[in-house]
Amino acid sequence: FSAGIGANNLTYYTIADQTGSNWEVGIGTVGSGGTTLIRTTVLDSSNGGSLTNFSSGTQLVYSDYPANAAVLQTDVGTAPNQIPLNQYLGKLAFQDVLDTVSNNPYYDTQISDVEPTLNLDFVNSKTLDSRITFARSTTATYYDGKSSAVAEQNLFTYSQQFTNAIWSPTTATIVDNAVVAPDGTTTAASITFTAQYGSIRQFTITSGVTYTVSLYCYVASGTRVFSIYDVNGNSYGTFTATTGWARYSTTFTAASTGALLPIQDRNASGFVTTYIWGAQLEQRASATAYNATTTTAITNYIPVLQTAAINAPRLDYSPTAGTPNGLLIEEARTNLLIYSAALANNTYWIQAGTVTMTASAGIAPDGSLNAALMTSGSSNSQIAQNITVPATNIAYTQTAYVKAYSGTIIRMDLRDSVNNYAYNFNLSNLTATSLSATATSTSITSVGNGWYRISITAPNATSGTIMYSYLYVTTITNAFYVWGAQLEAGAFPTSYIPTVASQVTRSADSASISTAGWYNIGQGTWFGVVVGKLTAGTPRIVGTTTSSKAPLAFSTGGNVLSGQMFDGSSVTTTNNTLPNSILKLASSWIGTSGSICLNGGAVVSGSQPNGYANVTIITIGSDGGGSAQNINSTIQKISYYPQALSNAELSEMTL
């Protein structure tokens, strides 16, 4: 022991008696004479972590260290983003290990010394590799997973129950549920002030904060001027109530901290019965649609749709879960509908029936107070816009953001000169029911706080014909917030393109990377993880600028997705999968032969006569930066191995 450690040297040690019942683990020093062990630090022991008094006789002493100081040959990091420790440490003295559980390309495969020379992990890095060249000549929308805005808010409690003690009435007689309220229910209260300065009050406003207070009110006869004050005597305006229901609102910045008086009668005489309902207090600069409260105030938040600057990549997130989706790559599209967000009382949006469009009624998905409230006094009242179809034999897709205010069914139509693709969208069970011609596809996608983006894709239209976009309120009990209408030429919806007085085009995303320093011209393996959407053609996960080669792509058709590698001829997988699912694709090649595997299925091999030797630029999510073969989806990961992995490994890494 002494010869192995050396005099005056520190060592981890373990001492145990012959029975093993008395033991000690610590850090000690071999004495200068090499005959004693000076136990400097006890890490643990059978004596509760203190020095152990061993009985006389021979003890077992050896150099060891405790488990919490051990370096194990295991993966490090947090699943599923682990990497092998031997890779993390530069392989040091460890042998590569095959992990058959994680099926993650960051783990080593059965080839012990093959590691990816290119790792583009957009989900976990949440950034774009500095070697990637990215371009898009317009702005574009996406979700960043963190930005939100206050949506529905009412800081008052018991907004319709004014006899509740929370309202602290002064010289006032109140009767709840006295008359019919603006919503048709008998929930409005009568209030009679019996002396000057009679009032109700609630909620402590904070000095310097901007608020908007609103209240539905009318008087039994004549007119009456009421004031809005706080308990410290600061005035925030007046409103004049008449003999019909009206909603009054005032925006102010609090001059002091104290309770708010949303209605006070400062007249000395002539008191009349007043009817009130729907008190609301919001911390914003204007009133939004009324939200009833009882015991709890309301403050809801909505994920905010972001706008990426020109030439800025979009690392997109789920608006509802806040989880990263990856790098968003889309083709160029044009929103053919103008005033896409201003749907209320706009001459370009034709109103029919008894529809009522209330502008600035709610917070839209972009965080602005631009959502219109759509109500109706009869069934199937509507707004519509029509455009002349600009291109022949192209499918068209219509989308809109909608949120239920009351009821669950909203109808959207997409009509051409021959067919009407009309659907009832049920926001309760998220189903779309056809009312006439059957569309190519429909969708309902949640974007948070009760908002959904609904879509209809119609078959090919004829150039020069008129196409109509409709939104309907189906019954008088249904009412909806609407915003962000879009009509685009294409067989699937893309990200929202805002318009005002003219149509707007979002240009294509383009991303590429030079092969210098990491690419093997003789052989290699590509791995990619994407959200596979049923788009058109063969969307590239990895493409090139050389003869439209695509060493990693997926083909769409027949409502299924297949993996494909292409260089003039193609090798296509047989393990088809459904759209809107995660695709894990791996392809390997040596010279002019290639193999590909999709989601752990059978590996398909074939000839690639042109090969991939003369590749200098790799395009990401597109075919040479063009629009025809853009992936129109999100890319989670792309990895490249400078060696052709075996068929077993292709299957393993795509499970």
Side-chain angles (χ1 to χ4, degrees), residues 354-592:
T354 58
V355 68
T356 298
M357 300 294 293
T358 304
S360 303
I363 302 299
D366 68 345
S368 67
L369 184 56
N370 283 329
L373 181 60
M374 186 177 184
T375 59
S376 176
S378 62
S379 298
N380 291 327
S381 295
Q382 66 206 236
I383 59 171
Q385 189 176 147
N386 60 76
I387 60 103
T388 301
V389 173
T392 302
N393 296 325
I394 293 178
Y396 284 82
T397 298
Q398 176 177 314
T399 55
Y401 291 88
V402 296
K403 179 179 179 177
Y405 180 77
S406 63
T408 60
I409 305 295
I410 187 169
R411 175 177 165 180
M412 186 166 74
D413 290 12
L414 180 56
R415 302 181 184 181
D416 59 24
S417 58
V418 178
N419 294 303
N420 179 22
Y421 303 96
Y423 279 79
N424 274 346
F425 289 86
N426 189 322
L427 302 189
S428 176
N429 59 20
L430 305 185
T431 58
T433 304
S434 175
L435 302 176
S436 53
T438 302
T440 302
S441 63
T442 62
S443 66
I444 306 176
T445 305
S446 173
V447 295
N449 193 41
W451 280 96
Y452 294 89
R453 194 182 192 206
I454 59 176
S455 77
I456 295 173
T457 296
N460 295 353
T462 302
S463 178
T465 61
I466 302 298
M467 186 164 282
Y468 300 86
S469 296
Y470 284 86
L471 283 170
Y472 281 84
V473 176
T474 57
T475 70
I476 61 174
T477 59
N478 285 333
F480 292 88
Y481 297 104
V482 293
W483 180 84
Q486 183 158 304
L487 179 65
E488 53 190 317
F492 50 89
T494 63
S495 59
Y496 172 57
I497 306 168
T499 66
V500 185
S502 61
Q503 297 173 351
V504 174
T505 297
R506 180 200 61 240
S507 66
D509 297 287
S510 172
S512 62
I513 186 171
S514 168
T515 59
W518 54 267
Y519 189 75
N520 182 355
I521 65 171
Q523 62 175 300
T525 298
W526 287 99
F527 174 82
V529 183
V530 302
V531 177
K533 293 187 177 180
L534 188 64
T535 58
T538 309
R540 285 14 179 177
I541 301 172
V542 171
T544 75
T545 57
T546 306
S547 303
S548 297
K549 296 180 179 181
L552 196 63
F554 65 91
S555 57
T556 68
N559 204 38
V560 295
L561 308 175
S562 306
Q564 187 173 100
M565 57 191 307
F566 176 85
D567 74 336
S569 61
S570 62
V571 177
T572 305
T573 66
T574 56
N575 184 36
N576 297 337
T577 189
L578 295 175
N580 299 314
S581 58
I582 295 293
L583 302 185
K584 292 183 178 181
L585 275 166
S587 65
S588 65
W589 59 280
I590 299 178
T592 58

Side-chain angles (χ1 to χ4, degrees), residues 136 138-144 304-310 312-314 366 496 498:
R136 186 189 57 253
T138 63
T139 61
T141 59
Y142 72 110
Y143 284 96
D144 67 2
V304 173
L305 190 65
Q306 302 294 297
T307 299
I310 293 173
R314 291 178 288 172
D366 68 345
Y496 172 57

Side-chain angles (χ1 to χ4, degrees), residues 109-330:
T109 62
Q110 294 171 5
I111 297 177
S112 62
D113 289 324
V114 176
E115 305 292 348
T117 52
L118 179 69
N119 273 328
L120 303 177
D121 187 350
F122 302 112
V123 164
N124 294 307
S125 69
K126 301 177 180 64
T127 188
L128 206 65
D129 190 294
S130 60
R131 295 169 293 178
I132 295 175
T133 299
F134 183 89
R136 186 189 57 253
S137 61
T138 63
T139 61
T141 59
Y142 72 110
Y143 284 96
D144 67 2
K146 60 183 179 181
S147 298
S148 63
V150 174
E152 298 81 18
Q153 186 175 59
N154 191 350
L155 300 175
F156 287 142
T157 55
Y158 295 99
S159 63
Q160 297 171 190
Q161 297 163 278
F162 299 98
T163 58
N164 189 280
I166 192 71
W167 281 105
S168 302
T170 300
T171 60
T173 301
I174 302 175
V175 178
D176 278 334
N177 305 321
V179 293
V180 176
D183 68 347
T185 62
T186 308
T187 54
S190 68
I191 181 168
T192 304
F193 298 110
T194 57
Q196 190 177 28
Y197 307 125
S199 66
I200 56 174
R201 66 191 65 186
Q202 190 194 143
F203 190 80
T204 300
I205 57 176
T206 301
S207 178
V209 176
T210 298
Y211 298 93
T212 294
V213 62
S214 55
L215 179 73
Y216 290 87
C217 183
Y218 80 94
V219 292
S221 60
T223 61
R224 190 73 167 177
V225 177
F226 295 103
S227 300
I228 302 96
Y229 269 78
D230 64 27
V231 292
N232 299 312
N234 299 296
S235 174
Y236 301 119
T238 62
F239 65 89
T240 301
T242 65
T243 55
W245 279 118
R247 192 187 191 198
Y248 305 97
S249 68
T250 299
T251 298
F252 62 92
T253 299
S256 62
T257 298
L260 179 67
L261 285 58
I263 181 171
Q264 183 183 54
D265 195 337
R266 300 183 69 84
N267 300 281
S269 61
F271 304 106
V272 297
T273 300
T274 302
Y275 301 96
I276 58 176
W277 182 81
Q280 182 156 296
L281 182 65
E282 305 172 71
Q283 193 172 313
R284 64 172 113 242
S286 56
T288 62
Y290 168 62
N291 300 280
T293 63
T294 54
T295 59
T296 306
I298 292 174
T299 299
N300 295 331
Y301 292 86
I302 183 172
V304 173
L305 190 65
Q306 302 294 297
T307 299
I310 293 173
N311 294 328
R314 291 178 288 172
L315 292 161
D316 193 51
Y317 285 70
S318 163
T320 53
T323 52
N325 294 325
L327 178 65
L328 178 58
I329 299 289
E330 291 183 308

